[in-house]
PDB file of all heavy atoms in Angstrom:
ATOM      1  N   PRO A   1      10.240 -14.394  12.105  1.00  0.00           N
ATOM      2  CA  PRO A   1       9.820 -14.061  10.731  1.00  0.00           C
ATOM      3  C   PRO A   1       9.080 -12.724  10.695  1.00  0.00           C
ATOM      4  O   PRO A   1       8.205 -12.461  11.513  1.00  0.00           O
ATOM      5  CB  PRO A   1       8.909 -15.221  10.348  1.00  0.00           C
ATOM      6  CG  PRO A   1       8.420 -15.779  11.648  1.00  0.00           C
ATOM      7  CD  PRO A   1       9.522 -15.571  12.634  1.00  0.00           C
ATOM      8  N   ILE A   2       9.468 -11.877   9.739  1.00  0.00           N
ATOM      9  CA  ILE A   2       8.853 -10.564   9.556  1.00  0.00           C
ATOM     10  C   ILE A   2       8.642 -10.345   8.063  1.00  0.00           C
ATOM     11  O   ILE A   2       9.485 -10.723   7.238  1.00  0.00           O
ATOM     12  CB  ILE A   2       9.732  -9.432  10.132  1.00  0.00           C
ATOM     13  CG1 ILE A   2       9.911  -9.595  11.648  1.00  0.00           C
ATOM     14  CG2 ILE A   2       9.123  -8.064   9.842  1.00  0.00           C
ATOM     15  CD1 ILE A   2      10.837  -8.557  12.273  1.00  0.00           C
ATOM     16  N   ARG A   3       7.529  -9.717   7.719  1.00  0.00           N
ATOM     17  CA  ARG A   3       7.289  -9.330   6.328  1.00  0.00           C
ATOM     18  C   ARG A   3       7.765  -7.891   6.116  1.00  0.00           C
ATOM     19  O   ARG A   3       7.463  -7.012   6.926  1.00  0.00           O
ATOM     20  CB  ARG A   3       5.791  -9.423   6.004  1.00  0.00           C
ATOM     21  CG  ARG A   3       5.252 -10.831   5.994  1.00  0.00           C
ATOM     22  CD  ARG A   3       3.757 -10.840   5.836  1.00  0.00           C
ATOM     23  NE  ARG A   3       3.061 -10.429   7.048  1.00  0.00           N
ATOM     24  CZ  ARG A   3       2.049  -9.569   7.084  1.00  0.00           C
ATOM     25  NH1 ARG A   3       1.620  -8.968   5.976  1.00  0.00           N
ATOM     26  NH2 ARG A   3       1.450  -9.279   8.225  1.00  0.00           N
ATOM     27  N   PHE A   4       8.493  -7.682   5.041  1.00  0.00           N
ATOM     28  CA  PHE A   4       8.966  -6.349   4.685  1.00  0.00           C
ATOM     29  C   PHE A   4       8.379  -5.957   3.331  1.00  0.00           C
ATOM     30  O   PHE A   4       8.261  -6.794   2.428  1.00  0.00           O
ATOM     31  CB  PHE A   4      10.498  -6.322   4.615  1.00  0.00           C
ATOM     32  CG  PHE A   4      11.169  -6.529   5.942  1.00  0.00           C
ATOM     33  CD1 PHE A   4      11.493  -7.809   6.374  1.00  0.00           C
ATOM     34  CD2 PHE A   4      11.466  -5.458   6.770  1.00  0.00           C
ATOM     35  CE1 PHE A   4      12.101  -8.017   7.601  1.00  0.00           C
ATOM     36  CE2 PHE A   4      12.073  -5.641   7.992  1.00  0.00           C
ATOM     37  CZ  PHE A   4      12.393  -6.932   8.415  1.00  0.00           C
ATOM     38  N   TYR A   5       8.033  -4.672   3.196  1.00  0.00           N
ATOM     39  CA  TYR A   5       7.407  -4.171   1.977  1.00  0.00           C
ATOM     40  C   TYR A   5       8.164  -2.935   1.494  1.00  0.00           C
ATOM     41  O   TYR A   5       8.150  -1.895   2.155  1.00  0.00           O
ATOM     42  CB  TYR A   5       5.944  -3.810   2.242  1.00  0.00           C
ATOM     43  CG  TYR A   5       5.076  -4.996   2.595  1.00  0.00           C
ATOM     44  CD1 TYR A   5       5.065  -5.512   3.893  1.00  0.00           C
ATOM     45  CD2 TYR A   5       4.295  -5.620   1.636  1.00  0.00           C
ATOM     46  CE1 TYR A   5       4.281  -6.608   4.221  1.00  0.00           C
ATOM     47  CE2 TYR A   5       3.502  -6.713   1.953  1.00  0.00           C
ATOM     48  CZ  TYR A   5       3.505  -7.210   3.250  1.00  0.00           C
ATOM     49  OH  TYR A   5       2.729  -8.300   3.571  1.00  0.00           O
ATOM     50  N   SER A   6       8.845  -3.060   0.350  1.00  0.00           N
ATOM     51  CA  SER A   6       9.499  -1.914  -0.271  1.00  0.00           C
ATOM     52  C   SER A   6       8.470  -1.210  -1.141  1.00  0.00           C
ATOM     53  O   SER A   6       7.991  -1.769  -2.132  1.00  0.00           O
ATOM     54  CB  SER A   6      10.707  -2.357  -1.097  1.00  0.00           C
ATOM     55  OG  SER A   6      11.407  -1.243  -1.617  1.00  0.00           O
ATOM     56  N   THR A   7       8.147   0.026  -0.781  1.00  0.00           N
ATOM     57  CA  THR A   7       6.938   0.701  -1.256  1.00  0.00           C
ATOM     58  C   THR A   7       7.278   1.954  -2.053  1.00  0.00           C
ATOM     59  O   THR A   7       8.161   2.719  -1.676  1.00  0.00           O
ATOM     60  CB  THR A   7       6.065   1.100  -0.046  1.00  0.00           C
ATOM     61  OG1 THR A   7       5.838  -0.042   0.775  1.00  0.00           O
ATOM     62  CG2 THR A   7       4.742   1.697  -0.486  1.00  0.00           C
ATOM     63  N   HIS A   8       6.537   2.173  -3.140  1.00  0.00           N
ATOM     64  CA  HIS A   8       6.685   3.402  -3.915  1.00  0.00           C
ATOM     65  C   HIS A   8       5.298   3.812  -4.419  1.00  0.00           C
ATOM     66  O   HIS A   8       4.754   3.202  -5.345  1.00  0.00           O
ATOM     67  CB  HIS A   8       7.640   3.193  -5.091  1.00  0.00           C
ATOM     68  CG  HIS A   8       8.037   4.450  -5.774  1.00  0.00           C
ATOM     69  ND1 HIS A   8       8.540   4.481  -7.072  1.00  0.00           N
ATOM     70  CD2 HIS A   8       8.012   5.745  -5.370  1.00  0.00           C
ATOM     71  CE1 HIS A   8       8.816   5.732  -7.407  1.00  0.00           C
ATOM     72  NE2 HIS A   8       8.494   6.514  -6.393  1.00  0.00           N
ATOM     73  N   LEU A   9       4.744   4.850  -3.804  1.00  0.00           N
ATOM     74  CA  LEU A   9       3.399   5.305  -4.151  1.00  0.00           C
ATOM     75  C   LEU A   9       3.435   6.457  -5.160  1.00  0.00           C
ATOM     76  O   LEU A   9       4.471   7.069  -5.395  1.00  0.00           O
ATOM     77  CB  LEU A   9       2.651   5.753  -2.889  1.00  0.00           C
ATOM     78  CG  LEU A   9       2.475   4.721  -1.780  1.00  0.00           C
ATOM     79  CD1 LEU A   9       1.587   5.301  -0.675  1.00  0.00           C
ATOM     80  CD2 LEU A   9       1.891   3.422  -2.302  1.00  0.00           C
ATOM     81  N   ASP A  10       2.256   6.759  -5.702  1.00  0.00           N
ATOM     82  CA  ASP A  10       2.098   7.817  -6.701  1.00  0.00           C
ATOM     83  C   ASP A  10       2.596   9.164  -6.178  1.00  0.00           C
ATOM     84  O   ASP A  10       2.429   9.487  -4.996  1.00  0.00           O
ATOM     85  CB  ASP A  10       0.619   7.930  -7.085  1.00  0.00           C
ATOM     86  CG  ASP A  10       0.386   8.972  -8.157  1.00  0.00           C
ATOM     87  OD1 ASP A  10       0.690   8.692  -9.324  1.00  0.00           O
ATOM     88  OD2 ASP A  10      -0.080  10.076  -7.813  1.00  0.00           O
ATOM     89  N   HIS A  11       3.202   9.957  -7.066  1.00  0.00           N
ATOM     90  CA  HIS A  11       3.782  11.241  -6.662  1.00  0.00           C
ATOM     91  C   HIS A  11       2.924  12.439  -7.064  1.00  0.00           C
ATOM     92  O   HIS A  11       3.252  13.570  -6.716  1.00  0.00           O
ATOM     93  CB  HIS A  11       5.170  11.408  -7.282  1.00  0.00           C
ATOM     94  CG  HIS A  11       5.151  11.611  -8.773  1.00  0.00           C
ATOM     95  ND1 HIS A  11       4.793  10.612  -9.659  1.00  0.00           N
ATOM     96  CD2 HIS A  11       5.463  12.698  -9.538  1.00  0.00           C
ATOM     97  CE1 HIS A  11       4.872  11.070 -10.889  1.00  0.00           C
ATOM     98  NE2 HIS A  11       5.263  12.334 -10.858  1.00  0.00           N
ATOM     99  N   ARG A  12       1.801  12.215  -7.784  1.00  0.00           N
ATOM    100  CA  ARG A  12       1.055  13.343  -8.346  1.00  0.00           C
ATOM    101  C   ARG A  12      -0.254  13.639  -7.638  1.00  0.00           C
ATOM    102  O   ARG A  12      -0.694  14.776  -7.575  1.00  0.00           O
ATOM    103  CB  ARG A  12       0.707  13.067  -9.818  1.00  0.00           C
ATOM    104  CG  ARG A  12       1.796  12.563 -10.713  1.00  0.00           C
ATOM    105  CD  ARG A  12       1.204  11.877 -11.948  1.00  0.00           C
ATOM    106  NE  ARG A  12       0.234  10.860 -11.562  1.00  0.00           N
ATOM    107  CZ  ARG A  12      -1.074  10.966 -11.728  1.00  0.00           C
ATOM    108  NH1 ARG A  12      -1.582  12.026 -12.316  1.00  0.00           N
ATOM    109  NH2 ARG A  12      -1.878  10.013 -11.313  1.00  0.00           N
ATOM    110  N   SER A  13      -0.915  12.572  -7.132  1.00  0.00           N
ATOM    111  CA  SER A  13      -2.306  12.734  -6.716  1.00  0.00           C
ATOM    112  C   SER A  13      -2.564  12.099  -5.349  1.00  0.00           C
ATOM    113  O   SER A  13      -2.399  10.884  -5.190  1.00  0.00           O
ATOM    114  CB  SER A  13      -3.229  12.084  -7.753  1.00  0.00           C
ATOM    115  OG  SER A  13      -4.541  11.950  -7.248  1.00  0.00           O
ATOM    116  N   PRO A  14      -3.023  12.886  -4.364  1.00  0.00           N
ATOM    117  CA  PRO A  14      -3.392  12.292  -3.075  1.00  0.00           C
ATOM    118  C   PRO A  14      -4.563  11.330  -3.198  1.00  0.00           C
ATOM    119  O   PRO A  14      -4.657  10.364  -2.434  1.00  0.00           O
ATOM    120  CB  PRO A  14      -3.739  13.503  -2.205  1.00  0.00           C
ATOM    121  CG  PRO A  14      -3.973  14.629  -3.153  1.00  0.00           C
ATOM    122  CD  PRO A  14      -3.142  14.353  -4.353  1.00  0.00           C
ATOM    123  N   ASP A  15      -5.453  11.558  -4.154  1.00  0.00           N
ATOM    124  CA  ASP A  15      -6.565  10.636  -4.361  1.00  0.00           C
ATOM    125  C   ASP A  15      -6.053   9.266  -4.793  1.00  0.00           C
ATOM    126  O   ASP A  15      -6.516   8.232  -4.302  1.00  0.00           O
ATOM    127  CB  ASP A  15      -7.529  11.185  -5.423  1.00  0.00           C
ATOM    128  CG  ASP A  15      -8.269  12.433  -4.962  1.00  0.00           C
ATOM    129  OD1 ASP A  15      -8.479  12.567  -3.746  1.00  0.00           O
ATOM    130  OD2 ASP A  15      -8.620  13.269  -5.815  1.00  0.00           O
ATOM    131  N   GLU A  16      -5.091   9.274  -5.700  1.00  0.00           N
ATOM    132  CA  GLU A  16      -4.541   7.996  -6.160  1.00  0.00           C
ATOM    133  C   GLU A  16      -3.754   7.309  -5.050  1.00  0.00           C
ATOM    134  O   GLU A  16      -3.829   6.091  -4.876  1.00  0.00           O
ATOM    135  CB  GLU A  16      -3.661   8.205  -7.400  1.00  0.00           C
ATOM    136  CG  GLU A  16      -3.217   6.915  -8.051  1.00  0.00           C
ATOM    137  CD  GLU A  16      -3.260   6.979  -9.570  1.00  0.00           C
ATOM    138  OE1 GLU A  16      -4.238   7.526 -10.116  1.00  0.00           O
ATOM    139  OE2 GLU A  16      -2.326   6.472 -10.190  1.00  0.00           O
ATOM    140  N   ARG A  17      -3.002   8.098  -4.273  1.00  0.00           N
ATOM    141  CA  ARG A  17      -2.256   7.512  -3.156  1.00  0.00           C
ATOM    142  C   ARG A  17      -3.210   6.871  -2.147  1.00  0.00           C
ATOM    143  O   ARG A  17      -2.925   5.788  -1.617  1.00  0.00           O
ATOM    144  CB  ARG A  17      -1.400   8.580  -2.461  1.00  0.00           C
ATOM    145  CG  ARG A  17      -0.156   8.952  -3.227  1.00  0.00           C
ATOM    146  CD  ARG A  17       0.809   9.740  -2.354  1.00  0.00           C
ATOM    147  NE  ARG A  17       0.275  11.030  -1.920  1.00  0.00           N
ATOM    148  CZ  ARG A  17       0.383  12.148  -2.616  1.00  0.00           C
ATOM    149  NH1 ARG A  17       0.984  12.144  -3.800  1.00  0.00           N
ATOM    150  NH2 ARG A  17      -0.106  13.284  -2.139  1.00  0.00           N
ATOM    151  N   LEU A  18      -4.312   7.531  -1.877  1.00  0.00           N
ATOM    152  CA  LEU A  18      -5.265   7.004  -0.904  1.00  0.00           C
ATOM    153  C   LEU A  18      -5.843   5.672  -1.380  1.00  0.00           C
ATOM    154  O   LEU A  18      -5.972   4.717  -0.602  1.00  0.00           O
ATOM    155  CB  LEU A  18      -6.381   8.019  -0.670  1.00  0.00           C
ATOM    156  CG  LEU A  18      -7.233   7.854   0.589  1.00  0.00           C
ATOM    157  CD1 LEU A  18      -6.373   7.787   1.840  1.00  0.00           C
ATOM    158  CD2 LEU A  18      -8.234   9.001   0.689  1.00  0.00           C
ATOM    159  N   THR A  19      -6.170   5.600  -2.661  1.00  0.00           N
ATOM    160  CA  THR A  19      -6.661   4.345  -3.231  1.00  0.00           C
ATOM    161  C   THR A  19      -5.594   3.263  -3.139  1.00  0.00           C
ATOM    162  O   THR A  19      -5.884   2.103  -2.802  1.00  0.00           O
ATOM    163  CB  THR A  19      -7.074   4.558  -4.692  1.00  0.00           C
ATOM    164  OG1 THR A  19      -8.094   5.554  -4.765  1.00  0.00           O
ATOM    165  CG2 THR A  19      -7.595   3.270  -5.310  1.00  0.00           C
ATOM    166  N   GLN A  20      -4.341   3.618  -3.431  1.00  0.00           N
ATOM    167  CA  GLN A  20      -3.251   2.651  -3.370  1.00  0.00           C
ATOM    168  C   GLN A  20      -3.018   2.158  -1.942  1.00  0.00           C
ATOM    169  O   GLN A  20      -2.784   0.966  -1.710  1.00  0.00           O
ATOM    170  CB  GLN A  20      -1.976   3.283  -3.930  1.00  0.00           C
ATOM    171  CG  GLN A  20      -2.039   3.545  -5.426  1.00  0.00           C
ATOM    172  CD  GLN A  20      -0.843   4.325  -5.956  1.00  0.00           C
ATOM    173  OE1 GLN A  20      -0.095   4.932  -5.187  1.00  0.00           O
ATOM    174  NE2 GLN A  20      -0.669   4.314  -7.263  1.00  0.00           N
ATOM    175  N   ILE A  21      -3.080   3.073  -0.976  1.00  0.00           N
ATOM    176  CA  ILE A  21      -2.855   2.695   0.419  1.00  0.00           C
ATOM    177  C   ILE A  21      -3.952   1.763   0.911  1.00  0.00           C
ATOM    178  O   ILE A  21      -3.686   0.772   1.603  1.00  0.00           O
ATOM    179  CB  ILE A  21      -2.752   3.953   1.305  1.00  0.00           C
ATOM    180  CG1 ILE A  21      -1.448   4.696   1.008  1.00  0.00           C
ATOM    181  CG2 ILE A  21      -2.829   3.588   2.783  1.00  0.00           C
ATOM    182  CD1 ILE A  21      -1.380   6.080   1.600  1.00  0.00           C
ATOM    183  N   ARG A  22      -5.191   2.045   0.568  1.00  0.00           N
ATOM    184  CA  ARG A  22      -6.287   1.168   0.988  1.00  0.00           C
ATOM    185  C   ARG A  22      -6.099  -0.237   0.426  1.00  0.00           C
ATOM    186  O   ARG A  22      -6.297  -1.237   1.124  1.00  0.00           O
ATOM    187  CB  ARG A  22      -7.625   1.760   0.541  1.00  0.00           C
ATOM    188  CG  ARG A  22      -8.049   2.977   1.360  1.00  0.00           C
ATOM    189  CD  ARG A  22      -9.235   3.678   0.741  1.00  0.00           C
ATOM    190  NE  ARG A  22      -9.684   4.800   1.564  1.00  0.00           N
ATOM    191  CZ  ARG A  22     -10.383   5.825   1.100  1.00  0.00           C
ATOM    192  NH1 ARG A  22     -10.726   5.866  -0.193  1.00  0.00           N
ATOM    193  NH2 ARG A  22     -10.747   6.805   1.913  1.00  0.00           N
ATOM    194  N   HIS A  23      -5.701  -0.317  -0.830  1.00  0.00           N
ATOM    195  CA  HIS A  23      -5.456  -1.611  -1.454  1.00  0.00           C
ATOM    196  C   HIS A  23      -4.297  -2.326  -0.764  1.00  0.00           C
ATOM    197  O   HIS A  23      -4.387  -3.527  -0.450  1.00  0.00           O
ATOM    198  CB  HIS A  23      -5.147  -1.414  -2.942  1.00  0.00           C
ATOM    199  CG  HIS A  23      -4.835  -2.681  -3.669  1.00  0.00           C
ATOM    200  ND1 HIS A  23      -5.810  -3.520  -4.167  1.00  0.00           N
ATOM    201  CD2 HIS A  23      -3.647  -3.273  -3.973  1.00  0.00           C
ATOM    202  CE1 HIS A  23      -5.250  -4.558  -4.747  1.00  0.00           C
ATOM    203  NE2 HIS A  23      -3.935  -4.433  -4.647  1.00  0.00           N
ATOM    204  N   LEU A  24      -3.220  -1.592  -0.505  1.00  0.00           N
ATOM    205  CA  LEU A  24      -2.056  -2.186   0.140  1.00  0.00           C
ATOM    206  C   LEU A  24      -2.393  -2.675   1.544  1.00  0.00           C
ATOM    207  O   LEU A  24      -2.001  -3.793   1.939  1.00  0.00           O
ATOM    208  CB  LEU A  24      -0.922  -1.161   0.199  1.00  0.00           C
ATOM    209  CG  LEU A  24       0.327  -1.563   0.995  1.00  0.00           C
ATOM    210  CD1 LEU A  24       0.964  -2.815   0.401  1.00  0.00           C
ATOM    211  CD2 LEU A  24       1.325  -0.415   1.026  1.00  0.00           C
ATOM    212  N   MET A  25      -3.098  -1.863   2.320  1.00  0.00           N
ATOM    213  CA  MET A  25      -3.448  -2.245   3.683  1.00  0.00           C
ATOM    214  C   MET A  25      -4.305  -3.518   3.704  1.00  0.00           C
ATOM    215  O   MET A  25      -4.139  -4.388   4.575  1.00  0.00           O
ATOM    216  CB  MET A  25      -4.177  -1.101   4.382  1.00  0.00           C
ATOM    217  CG  MET A  25      -3.320   0.135   4.626  1.00  0.00           C
ATOM    218  SD  MET A  25      -2.112  -0.083   5.948  1.00  0.00           S
ATOM    219  CE  MET A  25      -3.165   0.091   7.389  1.00  0.00           C
ATOM    220  N   GLU A  26      -5.202  -3.653   2.757  1.00  0.00           N
ATOM    221  CA  GLU A  26      -6.021  -4.861   2.677  1.00  0.00           C
ATOM    222  C   GLU A  26      -5.153  -6.100   2.475  1.00  0.00           C
ATOM    223  O   GLU A  26      -5.329  -7.123   3.133  1.00  0.00           O
ATOM    224  CB  GLU A  26      -7.033  -4.740   1.529  1.00  0.00           C
ATOM    225  CG  GLU A  26      -8.194  -3.803   1.803  1.00  0.00           C
ATOM    226  CD  GLU A  26      -9.137  -3.713   0.629  1.00  0.00           C
ATOM    227  OE1 GLU A  26      -8.890  -4.407  -0.401  1.00  0.00           O
ATOM    228  OE2 GLU A  26     -10.133  -2.961   0.710  1.00  0.00           O
ATOM    229  N   ARG A  27      -4.186  -5.989   1.566  1.00  0.00           N
ATOM    230  CA  ARG A  27      -3.319  -7.148   1.280  1.00  0.00           C
ATOM    231  C   ARG A  27      -2.414  -7.458   2.464  1.00  0.00           C
ATOM    232  O   ARG A  27      -2.201  -8.610   2.823  1.00  0.00           O
ATOM    233  CB  ARG A  27      -2.478  -6.869   0.032  1.00  0.00           C
ATOM    234  CG  ARG A  27      -3.280  -6.663  -1.233  1.00  0.00           C
ATOM    235  CD  ARG A  27      -3.730  -7.962  -1.900  1.00  0.00           C
ATOM    236  NE  ARG A  27      -4.530  -8.847  -1.084  1.00  0.00           N
ATOM    237  CZ  ARG A  27      -5.831  -8.626  -0.767  1.00  0.00           C
ATOM    238  NH1 ARG A  27      -6.447  -7.542  -1.224  1.00  0.00           N
ATOM    239  NH2 ARG A  27      -6.495  -9.479  -0.028  1.00  0.00           N
ATOM    240  N   VAL A  28      -1.849  -6.430   3.068  1.00  0.00           N
ATOM    241  CA  VAL A  28      -0.909  -6.636   4.170  1.00  0.00           C
ATOM    242  C   VAL A  28      -1.614  -7.240   5.377  1.00  0.00           C
ATOM    243  O   VAL A  28      -1.113  -8.187   6.002  1.00  0.00           O
ATOM    244  CB  VAL A  28      -0.221  -5.305   4.545  1.00  0.00           C
ATOM    245  CG1 VAL A  28       0.592  -5.461   5.816  1.00  0.00           C
ATOM    246  CG2 VAL A  28       0.679  -4.830   3.408  1.00  0.00           C
ATOM    247  N   LEU A  29      -2.782  -6.720   5.720  1.00  0.00           N
ATOM    248  CA  LEU A  29      -3.490  -7.192   6.903  1.00  0.00           C
ATOM    249  C   LEU A  29      -4.112  -8.570   6.685  1.00  0.00           C
ATOM    250  O   LEU A  29      -4.344  -9.313   7.647  1.00  0.00           O
ATOM    251  CB  LEU A  29      -4.573  -6.186   7.302  1.00  0.00           C
ATOM    252  CG  LEU A  29      -4.047  -4.819   7.765  1.00  0.00           C
ATOM    253  CD1 LEU A  29      -5.199  -3.850   7.998  1.00  0.00           C
ATOM    254  CD2 LEU A  29      -3.208  -4.956   9.035  1.00  0.00           C
ATOM    255  N   ALA A  30      -4.361  -8.935   5.443  1.00  0.00           N
ATOM    256  CA  ALA A  30      -4.954 -10.246   5.152  1.00  0.00           C
ATOM    257  C   ALA A  30      -3.914 -11.357   5.087  1.00  0.00           C
ATOM    258  O   ALA A  30      -4.274 -12.542   5.009  1.00  0.00           O
ATOM    259  CB  ALA A  30      -5.729 -10.187   3.834  1.00  0.00           C
ATOM    260  N   TYR A  31      -2.636 -11.006   5.123  1.00  0.00           N
ATOM    261  CA  TYR A  31      -1.576 -11.996   4.919  1.00  0.00           C
ATOM    262  C   TYR A  31      -1.655 -13.184   5.879  1.00  0.00           C
ATOM    263  O   TYR A  31      -1.531 -14.334   5.440  1.00  0.00           O
ATOM    264  CB  TYR A  31      -0.214 -11.322   5.019  1.00  0.00           C
ATOM    265  CG  TYR A  31       0.950 -12.195   4.607  1.00  0.00           C
ATOM    266  CD1 TYR A  31       1.493 -12.096   3.330  1.00  0.00           C
ATOM    267  CD2 TYR A  31       1.520 -13.113   5.485  1.00  0.00           C
ATOM    268  CE1 TYR A  31       2.564 -12.886   2.944  1.00  0.00           C
ATOM    269  CE2 TYR A  31       2.576 -13.918   5.112  1.00  0.00           C
ATOM    270  CZ  TYR A  31       3.098 -13.789   3.839  1.00  0.00           C
ATOM    271  OH  TYR A  31       4.155 -14.588   3.458  1.00  0.00           O
ATOM    272  N   PRO A  32      -1.832 -12.969   7.198  1.00  0.00           N
ATOM    273  CA  PRO A  32      -1.873 -14.139   8.088  1.00  0.00           C
ATOM    274  C   PRO A  32      -2.986 -15.121   7.722  1.00  0.00           C
ATOM    275  O   PRO A  32      -2.850 -16.324   7.949  1.00  0.00           O
ATOM    276  CB  PRO A  32      -2.120 -13.506   9.467  1.00  0.00           C
ATOM    277  CG  PRO A  32      -1.560 -12.125   9.354  1.00  0.00           C
ATOM    278  CD  PRO A  32      -1.899 -11.698   7.953  1.00  0.00           C
TER     279      PRO A  32
END
């Protein structure tokens, strides 16, 4: 079993992407 994530991040702002990545990493790492 493997988890796959089809991802599409913001295209305008590195600040927004960074916030999105931190949120995503929290959810992905908390899954187990």
Side-chain angles (χ1 to χ4, degrees):
I2 297 177
R3 292 173 286 134
F4 293 90
Y5 295 81
S6 185
T7 307
H8 191 200
L9 301 186
D10 182 76
H11 70 291
R12 313 160 308 109
S13 167
D15 292 331
E16 188 139 318
R17 284 194 296 273
L18 198 54
T19 301
Q20 292 173 344
I21 290 168
R22 287 170 177 157
H23 178 83
L24 173 60
M25 294 287 282
E26 286 179 1
R27 298 279 58 74
V28 171
L29 295 174
Y31 189 98

